[in-house]
Amino acid sequence: TDFFFFWFQYLTALHWAITQMTPGSMSVVPQNSFERGWTIVCLVIGLFTSSLLISQLSAKMVRVQTVNKDKLQQMEMLAHFLTRHHVPLPLAERVRCQVRERSMMKMPLTIDDLPSLSQLPLALRQELWCSIFGNVLLSHTVFYTWCLSDDHLLHALSFRALELEVFKRNDDVFAPMHEAKKTYYVRSGRLQYAREVETHVNINPDEQVLESRSFQEDKPKILVKSKDWASVIAIWCAWSYVGRLLALDVVDLVSIDVERFLEALASHPWIMSFSRDYALAYSLLAEHNDHVDLDVATSQVFGAMPIENRLQFQIPLLKSFCGKLDNRAVEQYFPVRRNRLSESSWEQLEEELRKGKCVITLGDDCQLQRTVVLCALEISNTDDQLLVL
């Protein structure tokens, strides 16, 4: 019938097409010069196509075998190590599960994973580093204010002091009693901070006693998420961590090496000069507050500074939201589009700032945030009964 004849023709044509790419035989043969020439063209195309397909498939299989071979070899060496040192079976099994699980995690690439970047010209590398890290620095109020006053500071800090770091789930970013040497910005992932050391400030302000104590039950844990800062305190004062920052997911961080950061700032003495008052206020708040964990709020530090010193940060920050910036780097790499202030709003805010009624910072959305300063007096008796508020 016509139906079966159609399928016979279709399958015959398909059979012939497949034989042009494989060594298979076919009863349909060319009957004239044109058909012979077309068959030769199809054979040449099939030769290259099949060779390319087989080579790609072979390369992928070899790559998979190599990766699996390394993993299997590591697991065999681990099993031999655990057996040799008589590690208890329950503990050995936990170790093997953790190693197997962590080896399967997909990790974001960092600059250290791309040695080819070191071959780029210096100017191009500086531009690349600034495009990666510029928006991170500009999301912090103090760093943003610094960069407003110097056209080259953003490039210098980004290239010399910032780097990418990746932590796997259950990794410690830092642990109690370790010296704080880095500041972190979370690009993606979640972390959990838990305080494990209690600080007591003695009558002598030059001494601080650290008492180890677990706060698993009575101390709330702090969730650190994307776009949050952690350990900014490392920049402003010598500090030893009183808690543990634990990665809950695979975490992509931008870290600031404090030593290299300060070295880059040393070539900008004017910024170092007007930032001393901020550092002093930050250090005093940190040292006389038993509950400092990850950071001291920028608005709180501004509020503790003398008004005339505070205005060196506040006025440039306010002016940057009133029109187009002269600083091209800040204009190019600022994370979001700034909401412009009207002239009347600018004048009102400036008046409040000069009178010390409020402070301004960058909010979580990188827009201007106004914080009102209030003074409260609390008087209580020896029985902790509130008398006046």
Side-chain angles (χ1 to χ4, degrees), residues 342-375:
S342 64
E343 184 176 353
S344 59
S345 299
W346 184 87
E347 292 176 352
Q348 180 181 352
L349 266 179
E350 183 183 19
E351 182 182 358
E352 291 183 1
L353 290 173
R354 293 189 182 279
K355 291 182 178 180
K357 293 182 178 180
C358 71
V359 295
I360 55 173
T361 56
L362 293 178
D364 294 337
D365 57 354
C366 292
Q367 301 297 341
L368 211 57
Q369 178 175 280
R370 171 176 172 268
T371 303
V372 178
V373 180
L374 297 176
C375 294

PDB file of all heavy atoms in Angstrom, residues 342-375:
ATOM      1  N   SER A 342      16.406  67.456  46.062  1.00  0.00           N
ATOM      2  CA  SER A 342      16.012  68.789  45.621  1.00  0.00           C
ATOM      3  C   SER A 342      16.807  69.830  46.413  1.00  0.00           C
ATOM      4  O   SER A 342      17.402  69.539  47.448  1.00  0.00           O
ATOM      5  CB  SER A 342      14.513  68.995  45.838  1.00  0.00           C
ATOM      6  OG  SER A 342      14.201  68.943  47.220  1.00  0.00           O
ATOM      7  N   GLU A 343      16.795  71.058  45.924  1.00  0.00           N
ATOM      8  CA  GLU A 343      17.560  72.116  46.576  1.00  0.00           C
ATOM      9  C   GLU A 343      17.049  72.374  47.994  1.00  0.00           C
ATOM     10  O   GLU A 343      17.838  72.567  48.933  1.00  0.00           O
ATOM     11  CB  GLU A 343      17.483  73.409  45.753  1.00  0.00           C
ATOM     12  CG  GLU A 343      18.334  74.539  46.306  1.00  0.00           C
ATOM     13  CD  GLU A 343      18.308  75.764  45.418  1.00  0.00           C
ATOM     14  OE1 GLU A 343      17.728  75.692  44.306  1.00  0.00           O
ATOM     15  OE2 GLU A 343      18.868  76.806  45.833  1.00  0.00           O
ATOM     16  N   SER A 344      15.729  72.364  48.170  1.00  0.00           N
ATOM     17  CA  SER A 344      15.169  72.612  49.504  1.00  0.00           C
ATOM     18  C   SER A 344      15.530  71.485  50.470  1.00  0.00           C
ATOM     19  O   SER A 344      15.857  71.732  51.638  1.00  0.00           O
ATOM     20  CB  SER A 344      13.650  72.751  49.414  1.00  0.00           C
ATOM     21  OG  SER A 344      13.058  71.587  48.870  1.00  0.00           O
ATOM     22  N   SER A 345      15.487  70.224  49.992  1.00  0.00           N
ATOM     23  CA  SER A 345      15.858  69.084  50.848  1.00  0.00           C
ATOM     24  C   SER A 345      17.327  69.159  51.221  1.00  0.00           C
ATOM     25  O   SER A 345      17.707  68.870  52.366  1.00  0.00           O
ATOM     26  CB  SER A 345      15.562  67.764  50.132  1.00  0.00           C
ATOM     27  OG  SER A 345      14.186  67.640  49.849  1.00  0.00           O
ATOM     28  N   TRP A 346      18.153  69.541  50.258  1.00  0.00           N
ATOM     29  CA  TRP A 346      19.589  69.645  50.532  1.00  0.00           C
ATOM     30  C   TRP A 346      19.861  70.702  51.597  1.00  0.00           C
ATOM     31  O   TRP A 346      20.635  70.479  52.529  1.00  0.00           O
ATOM     32  CB  TRP A 346      20.312  70.002  49.233  1.00  0.00           C
ATOM     33  CG  TRP A 346      21.795  70.041  49.364  1.00  0.00           C
ATOM     34  CD1 TRP A 346      22.653  68.994  49.225  1.00  0.00           C
ATOM     35  CD2 TRP A 346      22.598  71.173  49.692  1.00  0.00           C
ATOM     36  NE1 TRP A 346      23.943  69.401  49.439  1.00  0.00           N
ATOM     37  CE2 TRP A 346      23.937  70.742  49.723  1.00  0.00           C
ATOM     38  CE3 TRP A 346      22.323  72.514  49.963  1.00  0.00           C
ATOM     39  CZ2 TRP A 346      24.995  71.598  50.010  1.00  0.00           C
ATOM     40  CZ3 TRP A 346      23.375  73.370  50.243  1.00  0.00           C
ATOM     41  CH2 TRP A 346      24.688  72.920  50.262  1.00  0.00           C
ATOM     42  N   GLU A 347      19.220  71.848  51.480  1.00  0.00           N
ATOM     43  CA  GLU A 347      19.437  72.932  52.453  1.00  0.00           C
ATOM     44  C   GLU A 347      18.957  72.537  53.847  1.00  0.00           C
ATOM     45  O   GLU A 347      19.603  72.835  54.854  1.00  0.00           O
ATOM     46  CB  GLU A 347      18.723  74.193  51.981  1.00  0.00           C
ATOM     47  CG  GLU A 347      19.336  74.809  50.728  1.00  0.00           C
ATOM     48  CD  GLU A 347      18.545  75.998  50.230  1.00  0.00           C
ATOM     49  OE1 GLU A 347      17.435  76.229  50.777  1.00  0.00           O
ATOM     50  OE2 GLU A 347      19.008  76.682  49.296  1.00  0.00           O
ATOM     51  N   GLN A 348      17.822  71.840  53.900  1.00  0.00           N
ATOM     52  CA  GLN A 348      17.294  71.420  55.196  1.00  0.00           C
ATOM     53  C   GLN A 348      18.210  70.386  55.851  1.00  0.00           C
ATOM     54  O   GLN A 348      18.504  70.471  57.055  1.00  0.00           O
ATOM     55  CB  GLN A 348      15.890  70.835  55.022  1.00  0.00           C
ATOM     56  CG  GLN A 348      15.252  70.375  56.337  1.00  0.00           C
ATOM     57  CD  GLN A 348      13.870  69.775  56.127  1.00  0.00           C
ATOM     58  OE1 GLN A 348      13.319  69.822  55.023  1.00  0.00           O
ATOM     59  NE2 GLN A 348      13.311  69.217  57.184  1.00  0.00           N
ATOM     60  N   LEU A 349      18.690  69.440  55.070  1.00  0.00           N
ATOM     61  CA  LEU A 349      19.590  68.424  55.614  1.00  0.00           C
ATOM     62  C   LEU A 349      20.915  69.043  56.056  1.00  0.00           C
ATOM     63  O   LEU A 349      21.460  68.681  57.107  1.00  0.00           O
ATOM     64  CB  LEU A 349      19.843  67.331  54.568  1.00  0.00           C
ATOM     65  CG  LEU A 349      18.947  66.098  54.619  1.00  0.00           C
ATOM     66  CD1 LEU A 349      19.307  65.140  53.498  1.00  0.00           C
ATOM     67  CD2 LEU A 349      19.062  65.394  55.961  1.00  0.00           C
ATOM     68  N   GLU A 350      21.425  69.950  55.267  1.00  0.00           N
ATOM     69  CA  GLU A 350      22.689  70.593  55.633  1.00  0.00           C
ATOM     70  C   GLU A 350      22.545  71.350  56.957  1.00  0.00           C
ATOM     71  O   GLU A 350      23.443  71.295  57.821  1.00  0.00           O
ATOM     72  CB  GLU A 350      23.148  71.545  54.531  1.00  0.00           C
ATOM     73  CG  GLU A 350      24.500  72.176  54.832  1.00  0.00           C
ATOM     74  CD  GLU A 350      24.926  73.177  53.781  1.00  0.00           C
ATOM     75  OE1 GLU A 350      24.039  73.658  53.026  1.00  0.00           O
ATOM     76  OE2 GLU A 350      26.119  73.485  53.705  1.00  0.00           O
ATOM     77  N   GLU A 351      21.433  72.028  57.133  1.00  0.00           N
ATOM     78  CA  GLU A 351      21.205  72.759  58.379  1.00  0.00           C
ATOM     79  C   GLU A 351      21.147  71.798  59.567  1.00  0.00           C
ATOM     80  O   GLU A 351      21.735  72.058  60.622  1.00  0.00           O
ATOM     81  CB  GLU A 351      19.908  73.570  58.280  1.00  0.00           C
ATOM     82  CG  GLU A 351      19.614  74.396  59.528  1.00  0.00           C
ATOM     83  CD  GLU A 351      18.306  75.156  59.425  1.00  0.00           C
ATOM     84  OE1 GLU A 351      17.642  75.059  58.362  1.00  0.00           O
ATOM     85  OE2 GLU A 351      17.940  75.834  60.400  1.00  0.00           O
ATOM     86  N   GLU A 352      20.461  70.675  59.397  1.00  0.00           N
ATOM     87  CA  GLU A 352      20.372  69.697  60.477  1.00  0.00           C
ATOM     88  C   GLU A 352      21.740  69.092  60.799  1.00  0.00           C
ATOM     89  O   GLU A 352      22.074  68.860  61.967  1.00  0.00           O
ATOM     90  CB  GLU A 352      19.383  68.588  60.103  1.00  0.00           C
ATOM     91  CG  GLU A 352      17.931  69.042  60.059  1.00  0.00           C
ATOM     92  CD  GLU A 352      16.981  67.892  59.764  1.00  0.00           C
ATOM     93  OE1 GLU A 352      17.476  66.749  59.611  1.00  0.00           O
ATOM     94  OE2 GLU A 352      15.763  68.125  59.687  1.00  0.00           O
ATOM     95  N   LEU A 353      22.524  68.848  59.752  1.00  0.00           N
ATOM     96  CA  LEU A 353      23.853  68.285  59.967  1.00  0.00           C
ATOM     97  C   LEU A 353      24.744  69.253  60.729  1.00  0.00           C
ATOM     98  O   LEU A 353      25.469  68.862  61.649  1.00  0.00           O
ATOM     99  CB  LEU A 353      24.497  67.914  58.625  1.00  0.00           C
ATOM    100  CG  LEU A 353      23.884  66.727  57.874  1.00  0.00           C
ATOM    101  CD1 LEU A 353      24.528  66.598  56.493  1.00  0.00           C
ATOM    102  CD2 LEU A 353      24.061  65.440  58.654  1.00  0.00           C
ATOM    103  N   ARG A 354      24.717  70.515  60.355  1.00  0.00           N
ATOM    104  CA  ARG A 354      25.583  71.515  61.002  1.00  0.00           C
ATOM    105  C   ARG A 354      25.166  71.765  62.451  1.00  0.00           C
ATOM    106  O   ARG A 354      26.000  72.139  63.279  1.00  0.00           O
ATOM    107  CB  ARG A 354      25.568  72.816  60.197  1.00  0.00           C
ATOM    108  CG  ARG A 354      26.216  72.671  58.820  1.00  0.00           C
ATOM    109  CD  ARG A 354      26.404  73.996  58.129  1.00  0.00           C
ATOM    110  NE  ARG A 354      26.965  73.821  56.809  1.00  0.00           N
ATOM    111  CZ  ARG A 354      28.267  73.642  56.544  1.00  0.00           C
ATOM    112  NH1 ARG A 354      29.129  73.610  57.564  1.00  0.00           N
ATOM    113  NH2 ARG A 354      28.702  73.492  55.317  1.00  0.00           N
ATOM    114  N   LYS A 355      23.888  71.549  62.754  1.00  0.00           N
ATOM    115  CA  LYS A 355      23.417  71.720  64.135  1.00  0.00           C
ATOM    116  C   LYS A 355      23.516  70.425  64.943  1.00  0.00           C
ATOM    117  O   LYS A 355      23.208  70.414  66.143  1.00  0.00           O
ATOM    118  CB  LYS A 355      21.971  72.201  64.130  1.00  0.00           C
ATOM    119  CG  LYS A 355      21.810  73.625  63.616  1.00  0.00           C
ATOM    120  CD  LYS A 355      20.358  74.065  63.687  1.00  0.00           C
ATOM    121  CE  LYS A 355      20.184  75.502  63.215  1.00  0.00           C
ATOM    122  NZ  LYS A 355      18.776  75.951  63.288  1.00  0.00           N
ATOM    123  N   GLY A 356      23.929  69.340  64.292  1.00  0.00           N
ATOM    124  CA  GLY A 356      24.090  68.071  64.999  1.00  0.00           C
ATOM    125  C   GLY A 356      22.803  67.350  65.286  1.00  0.00           C
ATOM    126  O   GLY A 356      22.758  66.485  66.173  1.00  0.00           O
ATOM    127  N   LYS A 357      21.731  67.676  64.539  1.00  0.00           N
ATOM    128  CA  LYS A 357      20.434  67.043  64.795  1.00  0.00           C
ATOM    129  C   LYS A 357      20.332  65.648  64.181  1.00  0.00           C
ATOM    130  O   LYS A 357      19.487  64.849  64.589  1.00  0.00           O
ATOM    131  CB  LYS A 357      19.307  67.921  64.249  1.00  0.00           C
ATOM    132  CG  LYS A 357      19.142  69.245  64.970  1.00  0.00           C
ATOM    133  CD  LYS A 357      17.967  70.014  64.398  1.00  0.00           C
ATOM    134  CE  LYS A 357      17.735  71.330  65.138  1.00  0.00           C
ATOM    135  NZ  LYS A 357      16.590  72.084  64.578  1.00  0.00           N
ATOM    136  N   CYS A 358      21.144  65.362  63.180  1.00  0.00           N
ATOM    137  CA  CYS A 358      21.060  64.063  62.517  1.00  0.00           C
ATOM    138  C   CYS A 358      22.415  63.715  61.901  1.00  0.00           C
ATOM    139  O   CYS A 358      23.332  64.542  61.851  1.00  0.00           O
ATOM    140  CB  CYS A 358      19.970  64.053  61.445  1.00  0.00           C
ATOM    141  SG  CYS A 358      20.379  65.029  59.972  1.00  0.00           S
ATOM    142  N   VAL A 359      22.539  62.484  61.436  1.00  0.00           N
ATOM    143  CA  VAL A 359      23.687  62.052  60.640  1.00  0.00           C
ATOM    144  C   VAL A 359      23.142  61.341  59.409  1.00  0.00           C
ATOM    145  O   VAL A 359      22.005  60.849  59.408  1.00  0.00           O
ATOM    146  CB  VAL A 359      24.622  61.107  61.427  1.00  0.00           C
ATOM    147  CG1 VAL A 359      25.259  61.822  62.605  1.00  0.00           C
ATOM    148  CG2 VAL A 359      23.873  59.857  61.885  1.00  0.00           C
ATOM    149  N   ILE A 360      23.936  61.303  58.344  1.00  0.00           N
ATOM    150  CA  ILE A 360      23.514  60.615  57.122  1.00  0.00           C
ATOM    151  C   ILE A 360      24.553  59.567  56.756  1.00  0.00           C
ATOM    152  O   ILE A 360      25.749  59.737  56.984  1.00  0.00           O
ATOM    153  CB  ILE A 360      23.311  61.603  55.942  1.00  0.00           C
ATOM    154  CG1 ILE A 360      24.570  62.433  55.706  1.00  0.00           C
ATOM    155  CG2 ILE A 360      22.107  62.481  56.176  1.00  0.00           C
ATOM    156  CD1 ILE A 360      24.494  63.306  54.459  1.00  0.00           C
ATOM    157  N   THR A 361      24.074  58.459  56.213  1.00  0.00           N
ATOM    158  CA  THR A 361      24.921  57.357  55.770  1.00  0.00           C
ATOM    159  C   THR A 361      24.314  56.779  54.499  1.00  0.00           C
ATOM    160  O   THR A 361      23.230  57.186  54.066  1.00  0.00           O
ATOM    161  CB  THR A 361      25.026  56.259  56.840  1.00  0.00           C
ATOM    162  OG1 THR A 361      23.689  55.810  57.178  1.00  0.00           O
ATOM    163  CG2 THR A 361      25.711  56.762  58.097  1.00  0.00           C
ATOM    164  N   LEU A 362      24.990  55.803  53.917  1.00  0.00           N
ATOM    165  CA  LEU A 362      24.421  55.035  52.820  1.00  0.00           C
ATOM    166  C   LEU A 362      23.634  53.868  53.400  1.00  0.00           C
ATOM    167  O   LEU A 362      24.153  53.116  54.240  1.00  0.00           O
ATOM    168  CB  LEU A 362      25.515  54.510  51.889  1.00  0.00           C
ATOM    169  CG  LEU A 362      26.296  55.543  51.076  1.00  0.00           C
ATOM    170  CD1 LEU A 362      27.376  54.855  50.243  1.00  0.00           C
ATOM    171  CD2 LEU A 362      25.373  56.342  50.162  1.00  0.00           C
ATOM    172  N   GLY A 363      22.382  53.718  52.957  1.00  0.00           N
ATOM    173  CA  GLY A 363      21.563  52.611  53.429  1.00  0.00           C
ATOM    174  C   GLY A 363      21.886  51.319  52.713  1.00  0.00           C
ATOM    175  O   GLY A 363      22.803  51.231  51.885  1.00  0.00           O
ATOM    176  N   ASP A 364      21.115  50.271  53.003  1.00  0.00           N
ATOM    177  CA  ASP A 364      21.325  48.973  52.354  1.00  0.00           C
ATOM    178  C   ASP A 364      21.117  49.050  50.851  1.00  0.00           C
ATOM    179  O   ASP A 364      21.693  48.254  50.102  1.00  0.00           O
ATOM    180  CB  ASP A 364      20.367  47.931  52.952  1.00  0.00           C
ATOM    181  CG  ASP A 364      20.684  47.646  54.416  1.00  0.00           C
ATOM    182  OD1 ASP A 364      21.843  47.879  54.820  1.00  0.00           O
ATOM    183  OD2 ASP A 364      19.777  47.207  55.147  1.00  0.00           O
ATOM    184  N   ASP A 365      20.284  49.998  50.387  1.00  0.00           N
ATOM    185  CA  ASP A 365      20.044  50.168  48.960  1.00  0.00           C
ATOM    186  C   ASP A 365      20.993  51.182  48.336  1.00  0.00           C
ATOM    187  O   ASP A 365      20.796  51.596  47.189  1.00  0.00           O
ATOM    188  CB  ASP A 365      18.586  50.598  48.719  1.00  0.00           C
ATOM    189  CG  ASP A 365      18.236  51.878  49.475  1.00  0.00           C
ATOM    190  OD1 ASP A 365      19.078  52.369  50.265  1.00  0.00           O
ATOM    191  OD2 ASP A 365      17.114  52.388  49.275  1.00  0.00           O
ATOM    192  N   CYS A 366      22.024  51.598  49.079  1.00  0.00           N
ATOM    193  CA  CYS A 366      23.036  52.569  48.616  1.00  0.00           C
ATOM    194  C   CYS A 366      22.437  53.942  48.331  1.00  0.00           C
ATOM    195  O   CYS A 366      23.022  54.722  47.566  1.00  0.00           O
ATOM    196  CB  CYS A 366      23.770  52.046  47.378  1.00  0.00           C
ATOM    197  SG  CYS A 366      24.829  50.623  47.732  1.00  0.00           S
ATOM    198  N   GLN A 367      21.298  54.232  48.928  1.00  0.00           N
ATOM    199  CA  GLN A 367      20.723  55.574  48.864  1.00  0.00           C
ATOM    200  C   GLN A 367      20.969  56.276  50.210  1.00  0.00           C
ATOM    201  O   GLN A 367      21.328  55.649  51.192  1.00  0.00           O
ATOM    202  CB  GLN A 367      19.223  55.506  48.557  1.00  0.00           C
ATOM    203  CG  GLN A 367      18.869  54.824  47.249  1.00  0.00           C
ATOM    204  CD  GLN A 367      19.416  55.539  46.030  1.00  0.00           C
ATOM    205  OE1 GLN A 367      19.766  56.712  46.079  1.00  0.00           O
ATOM    206  NE2 GLN A 367      19.481  54.825  44.900  1.00  0.00           N
ATOM    207  N   LEU A 368      20.751  57.588  50.200  1.00  0.00           N
ATOM    208  CA  LEU A 368      21.017  58.375  51.395  1.00  0.00           C
ATOM    209  C   LEU A 368      20.038  57.996  52.514  1.00  0.00           C
ATOM    210  O   LEU A 368      18.830  57.899  52.289  1.00  0.00           O
ATOM    211  CB  LEU A 368      20.884  59.860  51.055  1.00  0.00           C
ATOM    212  CG  LEU A 368      21.768  60.840  51.855  1.00  0.00           C
ATOM    213  CD1 LEU A 368      23.233  60.470  51.699  1.00  0.00           C
ATOM    214  CD2 LEU A 368      21.525  62.248  51.372  1.00  0.00           C
ATOM    215  N   GLN A 369      20.577  57.773  53.706  1.00  0.00           N
ATOM    216  CA  GLN A 369      19.770  57.389  54.857  1.00  0.00           C
ATOM    217  C   GLN A 369      20.018  58.386  55.992  1.00  0.00           C
ATOM    218  O   GLN A 369      21.157  58.616  56.383  1.00  0.00           O
ATOM    219  CB  GLN A 369      20.127  55.975  55.302  1.00  0.00           C
ATOM    220  CG  GLN A 369      19.370  55.489  56.526  1.00  0.00           C
ATOM    221  CD  GLN A 369      19.689  54.042  56.838  1.00  0.00           C
ATOM    222  OE1 GLN A 369      19.164  53.125  56.224  1.00  0.00           O
ATOM    223  NE2 GLN A 369      20.567  53.823  57.795  1.00  0.00           N
ATOM    224  N   ARG A 370      18.954  58.954  56.524  1.00  0.00           N
ATOM    225  CA  ARG A 370      19.045  59.954  57.583  1.00  0.00           C
ATOM    226  C   ARG A 370      18.731  59.303  58.925  1.00  0.00           C
ATOM    227  O   ARG A 370      17.714  58.627  59.076  1.00  0.00           O
ATOM    228  CB  ARG A 370      18.050  61.088  57.293  1.00  0.00           C
ATOM    229  CG  ARG A 370      17.861  62.113  58.406  1.00  0.00           C
ATOM    230  CD  ARG A 370      16.916  63.204  57.914  1.00  0.00           C
ATOM    231  NE  ARG A 370      16.521  64.132  58.968  1.00  0.00           N
ATOM    232  CZ  ARG A 370      15.439  63.988  59.712  1.00  0.00           C
ATOM    233  NH1 ARG A 370      14.626  62.952  59.527  1.00  0.00           N
ATOM    234  NH2 ARG A 370      15.140  64.881  60.647  1.00  0.00           N
ATOM    235  N   THR A 371      19.612  59.515  59.896  1.00  0.00           N
ATOM    236  CA  THR A 371      19.428  58.980  61.239  1.00  0.00           C
ATOM    237  C   THR A 371      19.371  60.146  62.220  1.00  0.00           C
ATOM    238  O   THR A 371      20.299  60.964  62.276  1.00  0.00           O
ATOM    239  CB  THR A 371      20.580  58.039  61.626  1.00  0.00           C
ATOM    240  OG1 THR A 371      20.678  56.987  60.649  1.00  0.00           O
ATOM    241  CG2 THR A 371      20.355  57.436  63.001  1.00  0.00           C
ATOM    242  N   VAL A 372      18.287  60.235  62.956  1.00  0.00           N
ATOM    243  CA  VAL A 372      18.106  61.321  63.913  1.00  0.00           C
ATOM    244  C   VAL A 372      18.815  60.983  65.215  1.00  0.00           C
ATOM    245  O   VAL A 372      18.726  59.855  65.709  1.00  0.00           O
ATOM    246  CB  VAL A 372      16.609  61.583  64.166  1.00  0.00           C
ATOM    247  CG1 VAL A 372      16.428  62.685  65.200  1.00  0.00           C
ATOM    248  CG2 VAL A 372      15.899  61.958  62.868  1.00  0.00           C
ATOM    249  N   VAL A 373      19.523  61.943  65.757  1.00  0.00           N
ATOM    250  CA  VAL A 373      20.262  61.759  67.005  1.00  0.00           C
ATOM    251  C   VAL A 373      19.397  62.218  68.168  1.00  0.00           C
ATOM    252  O   VAL A 373      18.943  63.362  68.209  1.00  0.00           O
ATOM    253  CB  VAL A 373      21.578  62.556  66.986  1.00  0.00           C
ATOM    254  CG1 VAL A 373      22.336  62.364  68.287  1.00  0.00           C
ATOM    255  CG2 VAL A 373      22.431  62.120  65.804  1.00  0.00           C
ATOM    256  N   LEU A 374      19.132  61.325  69.106  1.00  0.00           N
ATOM    257  CA  LEU A 374      18.341  61.638  70.303  1.00  0.00           C
ATOM    258  C   LEU A 374      19.175  61.372  71.547  1.00  0.00           C
ATOM    259  O   LEU A 374      19.947  60.411  71.603  1.00  0.00           O
ATOM    260  CB  LEU A 374      17.063  60.793  70.351  1.00  0.00           C
ATOM    261  CG  LEU A 374      16.046  61.006  69.227  1.00  0.00           C
ATOM    262  CD1 LEU A 374      14.890  60.018  69.384  1.00  0.00           C
ATOM    263  CD2 LEU A 374      15.518  62.431  69.236  1.00  0.00           C
ATOM    264  N   CYS A 375      19.022  62.212  72.538  1.00  0.00           N
ATOM    265  CA  CYS A 375      19.686  62.019  73.833  1.00  0.00           C
ATOM    266  C   CYS A 375      18.621  61.644  74.863  1.00  0.00           C
ATOM    267  O   CYS A 375      17.601  62.326  74.988  1.00  0.00           O
ATOM    268  CB  CYS A 375      20.412  63.288  74.265  1.00  0.00           C
ATOM    269  SG  CYS A 375      21.799  63.715  73.197  1.00  0.00           S
TER     270      CYS A 375
END
